[in-house]
Amino acid sequence: MRFDTRLVQIGQEPDHGSGDVVPAIHITTTYERRMQDPLRYFYARGENPTREGLERCLASLEDARFAMVFSSGQSAAATALTLLDPGQRLISSDDVYGGTYNLFRTLGRYDIEVEFVDLTDISALDAALGYDVGMIWIETPTNPLLKVADLAAVHHCVRENGIRIVVDNTLAGPALQQPLRFGADVSLYSTTKSIAGHSDVLGGALVYDDEELHHIFSSYRAAVGNVPGALDCFLVHRGLKTLSLRTARQVSNASQIATELRGLASVGTVNYPGLVDHPQYQVAIKQMSGPGSILSFEYLGDPRELFDKLKLFSCAVSLGGVRSLIERPATMTHAPIPLATRLKLGISDNLIRLSAGIEDPADLVEDLLAAL
Ligand SMILES: *Cc1c(COP(=O)(O)O)cnc(C)c1O
C-alpha cells in the first residue's frame, strides 16, 4: 500500500459489527474486566483504541514499527529527552523552535548540558562531539531561518558513537521528509501543525523503529500520563487523511509567494529551500520531496504596519494549517531566545515568517503585494 492510501486507510478499518466506515471514537476511561478476557485493555491512560489507530497510521507512513502520540508536541519532545542520562551532553541545531529552546532550559537540573551547533556545518558538529554526547537534536528545515541540515551526513558523522538522533520533523511533515530513512532514531512531530492541519487540536508524536525505545517511551507515558484524549486523536486522524493534498497545495502556494517576494523593493533576503540560490538547495532536493509550506523574509519596513494591512494572512503563531498565517519571530515564536543569541543567529526584528495555507494562490499573492 502506498503513502496516500495509508493516510486514508491505516488505523481506520471499517467496524465489522456495525459497518461504520469511520471507526467509533472510544471515549471510555476504563474497561470491564472478565476472567476469560486476554489482558489487552485496562485503563485509558495506558491503552485506547482510537489513539492506537492514529499511532498505527503514523508508524506506517514512515515504515516504522512504532509511533506514540502525546497531548502536545512539547510533551512528545519532553518524552524523547528522557533518553538522556544525567551528565550527558545534548547537541542541538542552533536555530530551533522557541518552545524547544525553553524545554531545553529545564535540562540543567538533570545536569544535562545543551550545546547549540550550526548543523549545516558537519565540521562544526564533528568538533563538538565527545564521549559524553548522548543525543543530537535536529530541526530541518529550521524555524524560522529554513536552514537545511544534511540528515545522512549527520548520521554518518555520529554513527559510531552510539549517539541517538532525534529529528523534529514538524515543518516538513511525513509527506515531504522521512528522517528514519536517513539514519534518525526518532521522528518527532507537533501534530498540532500540518498533520492535524486545521489549527483546532493540539498533539504530538514520536515515530521510531527500535523496540528498546518503545519500552522506554511507553513506560514513561503511562507513568506521567501525557496522553491525548480520544476526541483529540479523532481530530488529528481526520486531518491526517488529507495531508498529501494539503501539503501539495501549500508547497505550491509557498513557492509562488517566495518567487513573488524576491523582486520587491521592500523585501530583503527570502529564505525558502525551494529557491535555487538557497545555500542548501541541493541537500533539500536530496532528502525532501518538496520544499515545504514555510518561508521567511526580511521586511524593510515596520512589521506591525505590514500585519495591519494584510487582509487574508492572520498574524498568529503556529504553522502548517489550511489558513495562511504570518508572524514576527523576534517578538512572538522566538521571544524566549536571549537577544544577543537571536541576533547572532540572524533572527532580526525585521524577520517575518509566513506559513502558506491552501487558499487560492492568486488571492494570497494579491494580498501580500498590496500590503508590501
Ligand atoms: C509547534 C512546534 C512544536 C511544539 O508543538 P506543540 O504541539 O505546540 O506543543 C515543536 N516543534 C516545532 C518545530 C513546532 O513548530
Side-chain angles (χ1 to χ4, degrees), residues 333-344:
T333 45
H334 292 68
I337 300 177
L339 179 69
T341 314
R342 182 162 66 66
L343 293 178
K344 203 175 103 207

Side-chain angles (χ1 to χ4, degrees), residues 307 313-317 324-328 332:
F307 295 162
F313 287 83
S314 301
C315 172
V317 300
S324 293
L325 302 176
I326 199 159
E327 65 111 9
R328 183 192 198 187
M332 298 172 70

Side-chain angles (χ1 to χ4, degrees), residues 188-206:
L188 180 150
Y189 296 97
S190 164
T191 57
T192 312
K193 313 294 168 53
S194 65
I195 287 182
H198 294 74
S199 306
D200 54 8
V201 60
L202 282 173
L206 298 176

Side-chain angles (χ1 to χ4, degrees), residues 91-95 115-121 124-125 128 147:
I91 294 181
S92 166
S93 299
D94 57 357
D95 181 27
E115 193 169 331
F116 294 96
V117 172
D118 179 357
L119 293 180
T120 62
D121 178 0
L125 169 63
K147 294 197 287 189

Side-chain angles (χ1 to χ4, degrees), residues 34 54 132-133 156 214 262 298 300 310 347:
R34 296 179 205 229
L54 173 60
D132 56 345
V133 174
H156 186 78
H214 191 56
R262 282 239 292 207
E298 214 87 46
L300 306 176
L310 287 166
I347 307 173

Side-chain angles (χ1 to χ4, degrees), residues 68 70 74-86 88 90 103-104 106-107 110 112 134-135 137 164 166 186 188 206 212-221 223-224 226:
M68 184 162 277
F70 297 87
Q74 288 305 87
S75 71
T79 304
L81 290 174
T82 62
L83 295 175
L84 285 163
D85 290 324
Q88 285 191 317
L90 164 68
L103 180 62
F104 286 166
T106 66
L107 292 173
Y110 304 104
I112 293 166
M135 181 183 286
W137 189 281
R164 308 265 202 209
V166 175
V186 180
L188 180 150
L206 298 176
E212 188 194 338
L213 297 190
H214 191 56
H215 181 70
I216 296 170
F217 295 152
S218 54
S219 331
Y220 183 76
R221 189 182 66 177
V224 302
N226 52 352

Side-chain angles (χ1 to χ4, degrees), residues 141 145-146 148 251-263 267-285 288 290-292 294-298:
L145 293 169
L146 288 306
V148 179
V251 169
S252 153
N253 282 357
S255 302
Q256 288 182 55
I257 290 168
T259 309
E260 290 287 341
L261 286 176
R262 282 239 292 207
V267 172
T269 321
V270 179
N271 307 306
Y272 185 59
L275 296 171
V276 287
D277 55 1
H278 183 282
Q280 294 95 34
Y281 178 74
Q282 291 301 339
V283 182
I285 292 212
M288 301 175 75
I294 316 299
L295 58 95
S296 63
F297 61 96
E298 214 87 46

Side-chain angles (χ1 to χ4, degrees), residues 72-74 97 139 143 168 170-171 190 192-193 202-203 319:
S72 68
Q74 288 305 87
Y97 173 67
E139 238 189 84
N143 168 15
D168 183 339
T170 300
L171 253 71
S190 164
T192 312
K193 313 294 168 53
L202 282 173
L319 50 90

